[in-house]
Amino acid sequence: MIIADIKHAFRILRGRPGYAAVAILSLALGIGASTAIFSIVDGVLLRSLPYPESERLVQLREVNERGVRIPVAEPNYLDVRARSRTLESIAQFAGGAVVVSGPGETARARAYWVSGDFFKVMGMAPFAGRGFLPEESKQGGTPVAIVSHRFWQRQLGGRPDFSGTTLKIDGPAFTVVGVMPAGFNYPREADIWVPREVEPPQTSRTAHNWSVVARVRPGIEMEQARAEVSGIGRQLRQELGKETDAADLALIPLKEYLTGDVRSGLLLILAAVGLVLVVACANAANLLLAQATSRAAEFTVRAALGATRWRLAKQFIVENLLLTMIAGGLGVLIAFWGVDLLMRLNQGNLPREAEVSVDLRALLFTLGLSALIAVVLALAPVLRFSSADLNTTLKEAGRGALAAGGTHRLRGLLVILQVALTLLLLVSAGLLGRSFLTLMRTDPGFQTESAVAMTLSLPTTLTREQEAELGRFHHQLLERMENFPGLIAAGCINALPLTGRGANGTFLKDNNPATKGQAEYRLASAGYFAAMKIPLLQGRLFSPQDAGDAPDTAVISQSLARLYWPGENPIGRTIQFGNMDGDKQPLHIIGVVADVRDDGLDQPAQPTVYAHTIQRPGWWQVSNLSYVLRAQGDPMSLIPAMRAEVQGLNRDVLLNFRAMDEVVVSSLDTRRFSLVIFGAFAVVALVLAAAGVYGVMSYAVSQRVHEIGVRIALGARHGDVLRMILAQGMRLALAGIAVGLISAYGVTRLIASMLHNVSPADPLTFAFIAALLALVALLACYLPARRATQVDPIVALRCE
C-alpha cells in the first residue's frame, strides 16, 4: 500500500511541476538555513566540550571591587591550589603569538606557558611522545615543549620520530617531547605548550596575567565548589587588604566561559531562522491548500467510496513527505554551503568553530524536521475535507466555491502570519543595520585614511647582545622612516587600537601609594601621534629632548586627565606605572591627547598612559610590534618598498600589512556577522512572503473569474476591478503589517544588547520597514489584479 501511495505521490508532483518546484524551493530555503544555523549552535553551544568528563571543568576568575571578572594573579592562584578541597586539580596558563623557528620555516604560532597539572586538568595526554616530567616543571628545568597535532604536521612534517627536534620559541630553544591528539588546541588555537615553572614566579597580586582552569572533584556539586572558592577569595581579601585587587573569586563552567560572549547572539539567530522556516512552511501550506482545493472532488469521492480519514491523511502525508524529503535533501546542500559561508564570514571570531560541521546530528535534525513539516502540512487539508458534508462538498467543488469558505480564510491567515513574521525579521535587520552605520560613523579618535599598519613579529626573549642588536634594528628603522619617500609620518606602538592586544594596570598618582589609578598602558614612539593624527590638546608630544638623562615622560589621554586631575592642569604631574613594566621611574606628564576608542567603537574610550619608547629600554621586546605609516597618496603602494627596507635590516622578521581602515572595519566583524545573517533571513522571508501574497491573490482571481466576468459585463470598469482585487490583497497585507508592528515592538527588545545608540523601538526604522513591506505587497497584488482586468466576460460566462 505504501508503495502505491509513493507512486501516486510521484504522479501528483510530476503533474503539477510549477507547484512542486515552488514548494520544494520554499521549504529547501527554510530547511537549509535552519540546518546550517543548527549545525553552528550545536557545535558551539549544545555539544559537550571534547574533553573527558568536561562538565567538571571550570574557569577561575578574580572578581574586583566593581564586580568585574578579571584574570588571576599568580600568588592568588597558588593560594587557591593550596587551600581548595573541592578542586581535584588546578592549572594556570598564559601566552599568545610568538615567533617560532626550527626544522621548518620561521613562522608565527601561539605558544602557552602552562603549569604542571595543565594536561591532567584537561584529561588529555599526548598521542605521541610524552608529557612533562616533574624535573622539567621546575625553575631551571630542561626547556621542553609539547606541540599540537596541526603544528606537528605543518612545521615538523608529521615525522613519527621527532626526538631531538628543537624549536626556538621567541629566542630560547625547546626540545619537542610530545604531540597532542588531533583537535586538542586549548587554549584556543594553541600550537605549543611549555612548562610555566621554568620561569621565575611572579609575586605581584595586582599583575593579572594568568588564566586558570580547574577540575572539580567527582561527587562535588558545582555550587559547593563555587561557595568554597568564593570563601577563599574573601579570606585572601581580609588577610591582604589592598595588596590584592581580588574582592572575591568566581568559578565558571568552562563551556559557559568559552561560549558566554556568543550564546545570546546565537540563540537569537536560531530564533530568527525559526521564523524564516515558519514563513517557508506557511508559503508551502498556502500552495498545498490551493492544490487541495482543486482536488476537493477527488478526495470527496474517495471519502464517499469508503476511504477513512486516516487513509486520506496517509495519502497527504506521503505526498508531503516526498515533497519535504526532496526539499530536505536540497536543504542539506544549502546547509553545507551556508555553514562554509558563515564560517568564512565569521573570520575566526566564533569559539569552538573547529567543532562546527554538517554532521550526522545535523542530518538527523534535517530528517526529523522534514518529517514533522510533512505531517503538519498534511493535517489542515485533511481535516478540512474529510469532515465536510460529502454532497455539499461535491457541489461546492463543482462550482469552485470552496475558495470562498474556510480554506480561503485559512490561506488568508497564513498570509497574515507570513507578513507579520517577515516584518519582524526586517525590523530586526533594519535596527542592526542602523546600529552598524552609527558605529561606522563613530570617531575612533584617530584618522584612518592614507594610513597602513605594519606589524613586525620577532623573538622577544634574547641575550644581551641580541637585545642590543634588536634595539638598533628598531631605531634604524624609525630613523629611515623619517626620510622615506612618500611617507608623511611614521611611528610605532606596542598595541594598535581596536585589536584587543592592549594591557592595563594600576599606577600610582604622583608616586603616592595612597592614590592609585587604573589605566591602559602603551609604549609609543615620537611619531606615533602624527602618524595616527591623534590631536594634541595640551602640552607637547615626545621629542628628541626626551632622550639621554632627561626625566621619563608620558603623554596621557583626555579621559585620564579629567578622571584623575579634574579641573587641574596635569602637565608636570607624575605617574608611576612600575606595575606594568617593572620600571618604577616616575613618568612626568608632558602632554594630553584626544581619547582613542581602544576596546571597540561601541565602548567608551579608556584612560590611557603613553610612555616614550626610547625611555623604556625593553620597548622593542614586543612579539608583535606595530608601525603606523601615513602616506602622501595610496599607503598600500608603499608596501613593497617598506617590506624590502625592513628585510634589508633584518631578514628574519615576519611582516604583516593592513590598512588602518581595515583595522577599524575588522573590529566590527561580530556585529557584521549578526547583521548579514539577520539581513539574509529577512530578504528570504520577504521573497517568500511576496510569493505567498501573490499566490493567494492569483488563486483568488482564478476562482473569481465568473464573478469578475459578470461585473465587467454589467459595466464595471477595469479600474473598479483593479481596486477590488488590490483591496482584497492589501487588507491581508496591512493586517499582517499591523500584527508584525505590535509583535516587533515587544520582540526587538531581545536584540537591545546588539544595538548601539539605536532604540529597539526606533520609529524611523519601524515606519520605513512597514512602508517597504506594504510596497512589496502592493506589487505582489498588482500582477494578479492586472490579470483580473483582462478577463473576457463572454469567455467567462460561456465557461460557466
Side-chain angles (χ1 to χ4, degrees):
M1 184 67 72
I2 188 66
I3 301 299
D5 287 339
I6 293 175
K7 290 181 178 179
H8 182 70
F10 266 115
R11 288 196 298 272
I12 292 295
L13 295 183
R14 198 166 52 241
R16 297 174 172 84
Y19 149 73
V22 174
I24 288 172
L25 183 59
S26 297
L27 291 175
L29 287 173
I31 292 172
S34 300
T35 303
I37 298 302
F38 172 81
S39 298
I40 295 175
V41 171
D42 182 46
V44 176
L45 300 182
L46 302 183
R47 289 178 183 269
S48 298
L49 296 176
Y51 315 121
E53 299 181 89
S54 62
E55 68 281 358
R56 294 200 283 129
L57 290 174
V58 293
Q59 184 91 9
L60 174 70
R61 303 288 279 183
E62 291 185 15
V63 182
N64 65 18
E65 292 177 341
R66 300 191 303 273
V68 179
R69 293 171 175 173
I70 57 178
V72 179
E74 186 167 36
N76 293 341
Y77 150 73
L78 294 173
D79 283 330
V80 173
R81 188 177 70 175
R83 301 185 188 191
S84 174
R85 297 294 176 267
T86 62
L87 301 179
E88 180 180 72
S89 51
I90 182 170
Q92 65 176 354
F93 59 89
V98 295
V99 177
V100 179
S101 58
E105 295 182 354
T106 299
R108 293 183 181 91
R110 298 191 69 83
Y112 286 88
W113 277 249
V114 300
S115 57
D117 278 350
F118 176 78
F119 295 109
K120 178 182 177 183
V121 171
M122 303 308 298
M124 303 295 291
F127 94 97
R130 60 173 177 83
F132 301 137
L133 301 176
E135 57 268 26
E136 295 166 344
S137 296
K138 66 179 182 179
Q139 190 171 350
T142 304
V144 296
I146 295 174
V147 300
S148 69
H149 190 274
R150 178 183 58 185
F151 186 89
W152 172 62
Q153 289 188 321
R154 186 183 68 225
Q155 295 297 117
L156 306 183
R159 298 193 308 272
D161 181 16
F162 49 81
S163 58
T165 301
T166 59
L167 301 173
K168 288 186 177 181
I169 303 172
D170 260 0
F174 292 79
T175 302
V176 178
V177 297
V179 179
M180 295 303 293
F184 180 80
N185 61 355
Y186 185 81
R188 189 177 178 187
E189 301 302 321
D191 295 303
I192 305 168
W193 299 266
V194 299
R196 184 270 171 279
E197 291 83 358
V198 298
E199 298 291 335
Q202 297 177 356
T203 58
S204 172
R205 292 185 184 266
T206 59
H208 307 284
N209 298 325
W210 298 93
S211 295
V212 176
V213 65
R215 182 175 288 272
V216 178
R217 291 186 183 279
I220 299 294
E221 296 294 330
M222 187 63 67
E223 289 307 315
Q224 183 181 350
R226 280 175 166 160
E228 184 210 41
V229 169
S230 178
I232 293 173
R234 291 193 296 271
Q235 287 173 8
L236 292 175
R237 181 66 168 189
Q238 187 175 6
E239 295 169 8
L240 301 167
K242 294 294 184 177
E243 287 185 36
T244 178
D245 294 330
D248 199 351
L249 294 171
L251 282 185
I252 310 122
L254 185 59
K255 180 180 174 182
E256 178 184 327
Y257 175 78
L258 294 176
T259 61
D261 292 340
V262 301
R263 176 178 295 273
S264 58
L266 284 180
L267 292 179
L268 285 173
I269 291 173
L270 185 63
V273 78
L275 297 182
V276 174
L277 182 61
V278 172
V279 172
C281 289
N283 206 41
N286 254 326
L287 292 169
L288 178 62
L289 285 169
Q291 292 300 313
T293 301
S294 65
R295 295 172 62 191
E298 171 197 340
F299 280 95
T300 302
V301 170
R302 292 178 64 181
L305 294 176
T308 63
R309 181 178 299 185
W310 163 243
R311 182 71 190 86
L312 295 176
K314 191 173 75 166
Q315 179 62 54
F316 258 114
I317 290 173
V318 169
E319 291 179 17
N320 288 310
L321 192 59
L322 178 62
L323 189 79
T324 55
M325 287 303 163
I326 296 173
L330 183 58
V332 168
L333 298 179
I334 294 174
F336 275 107
W337 172 79
V339 167
D340 181 63
L341 177 65
L342 291 174
M343 288 299 98
R344 281 191 278 112
L345 176 66
N346 179 63
Q347 296 187 354
N349 294 313
L350 202 64
R352 307 182 66 187
E353 64 176 10
E355 300 171 55
V356 174
S357 64
V358 183
D359 57 7
L360 180 61
R361 287 163 62 102
L363 296 178
L364 290 175
F365 169 82
T366 303
L367 181 63
L369 186 62
S370 301
L372 178 63
I373 291 172
V375 173
V376 171
L377 291 180
L379 292 180
V382 168
L383 294 175
R384 164 74 181 128
F385 296 121
S386 62
S387 60
D389 178 74
L390 298 179
N391 187 48
T392 303
T393 303
L394 280 171
K395 291 179 180 178
E396 289 179 346
R399 297 196 307 269
L402 280 170
T407 304
H408 182 66
R409 287 191 293 273
L410 179 56
R411 297 190 69 204
L413 289 175
L414 289 173
V415 168
I416 292 173
L417 176 65
Q418 281 183 287
V419 172
L421 295 181
T422 300
L423 185 136
L424 182 56
L425 285 168
L426 284 170
V427 166
S428 299
L431 291 173
L432 290 173
R434 285 206 66 195
S435 176
F436 190 82
L437 290 176
T438 300
L439 282 171
M440 289 295 293
R441 290 193 292 264
T442 300
D443 180 12
F446 55 89
Q447 296 184 27
T448 61
E449 70 281 358
S450 300
V452 64
M454 178 179 71
T455 301
L456 279 62
S457 297
L458 283 163
T460 60
T461 306
L462 307 167
T463 64
R464 289 185 180 274
E465 292 76 13
Q466 290 171 325
E467 287 181 7
E469 183 181 345
L470 185 56
R472 285 193 297 272
F473 160 73
H474 283 290
H475 285 300
Q476 288 175 355
L477 183 57
L478 283 172
E479 288 174 359
R480 292 193 183 189
M481 285 181 177
E482 291 178 0
N483 302 309
F484 197 83
L487 276 185
I488 298 175
C492 66
I493 192 166
N494 64 332
L496 275 176
L498 303 176
T499 59
R501 293 196 291 110
N504 57 34
T506 303
F507 65 84
L508 302 183
K509 177 183 172 184
D510 294 321
N511 210 20
N512 183 355
T515 55
K516 293 183 178 181
Q518 186 82 14
E520 297 288 321
Y521 183 68
R522 301 291 183 269
L523 294 170
S525 69
Y528 173 74
F529 302 100
M532 293 286 281
K533 284 196 173 182
I534 300 174
L536 175 67
L537 306 178
Q538 192 176 354
R540 68 176 178 88
L541 299 174
F542 301 134
S543 69
Q545 72 188 62
D546 298 318
D549 296 330
D552 287 5
T553 56
V555 172
I556 64 172
S557 66
Q558 184 179 23
S559 58
L560 189 141
R562 287 175 175 172
L563 183 61
Y564 294 104
W565 287 280
E568 302 179 50
N569 183 1
I571 304 300
R573 308 297 285 268
T574 63
I575 285 176
Q576 194 264 83
F577 226 140
N579 184 50
M580 286 302 299
D581 61 8
D583 191 334
K584 295 188 178 180
Q585 289 293 322
L587 298 166
H588 295 75
I589 300 173
I590 60 170
V592 179
V593 294
D595 285 330
V596 171
R597 292 178 183 266
D598 195 78
D599 292 338
L601 295 178
D602 56 346
Q603 299 296 320
Q606 297 299 312
T608 305
V609 174
Y610 299 92
H612 196 349
T613 52
I614 65 172
Q615 295 176 332
R616 293 307 199 206
W619 66 270
W620 53 78
Q621 295 187 47
V622 177
S623 60
N624 290 282
L625 191 68
S626 295
Y627 286 77
V628 179
L629 317 173
R630 183 165 295 277
Q632 294 174 351
D634 179 13
M636 306 306 285
S637 64
L638 297 177
I639 290 178
M642 282 305 308
R643 187 185 299 277
E645 187 76 18
V646 173
Q647 293 185 335
L649 292 172
N650 188 329
R651 297 188 61 83
D652 294 330
V653 68
L654 298 177
L655 289 172
N656 180 49
F657 290 90
R658 281 201 302 170
M660 286 304 299
D661 285 327
E662 183 185 343
V663 173
V664 174
V665 171
S666 295
S667 70
L668 299 173
D669 282 345
T670 300
R671 289 182 176 272
R672 186 186 300 102
F673 180 70
S674 300
L675 171 61
V676 170
I677 290 180
F678 269 90
F681 289 168
V683 170
V684 170
L686 180 63
V687 171
L688 292 175
V693 173
Y694 173 82
V696 166
M697 297 314 301
S698 292
Y699 192 76
V701 167
S702 68
Q703 294 295 305
R704 298 177 66 181
V705 168
H706 173 67
E707 174 196 343
I708 293 170
V710 171
R711 287 177 180 271
I712 294 176
L714 294 177
R717 291 174 297 180
H718 287 180
D720 297 329
V721 175
L722 186 69
R723 283 190 293 272
M724 178 185 70
I725 302 300
L726 287 177
Q728 179 183 349
M730 289 307 295
R731 277 196 295 271
L732 297 176
L734 293 176
I737 290 172
V739 172
L741 287 173
I742 295 171
S743 302
Y745 185 79
V747 172
T748 51
R749 279 155 177 75
L750 296 175
I751 65 170
S753 62
M754 303 167 69
L755 304 178
H756 177 71
N757 288 345
V758 175
S759 167
D762 179 57
L764 183 61
T765 302
F766 275 60
F768 175 78
I769 295 302
L772 173 65
L773 193 52
L775 177 62
V776 171
L778 183 63
L779 292 175
C781 294
Y782 175 76
L783 295 176
R786 187 170 178 275
R787 191 166 66 249
T789 63
Q790 298 171 351
V791 170
D792 187 335
I794 301 299
V795 175
L797 293 174
R798 185 184 299 126
C799 291
E800 178 61 17

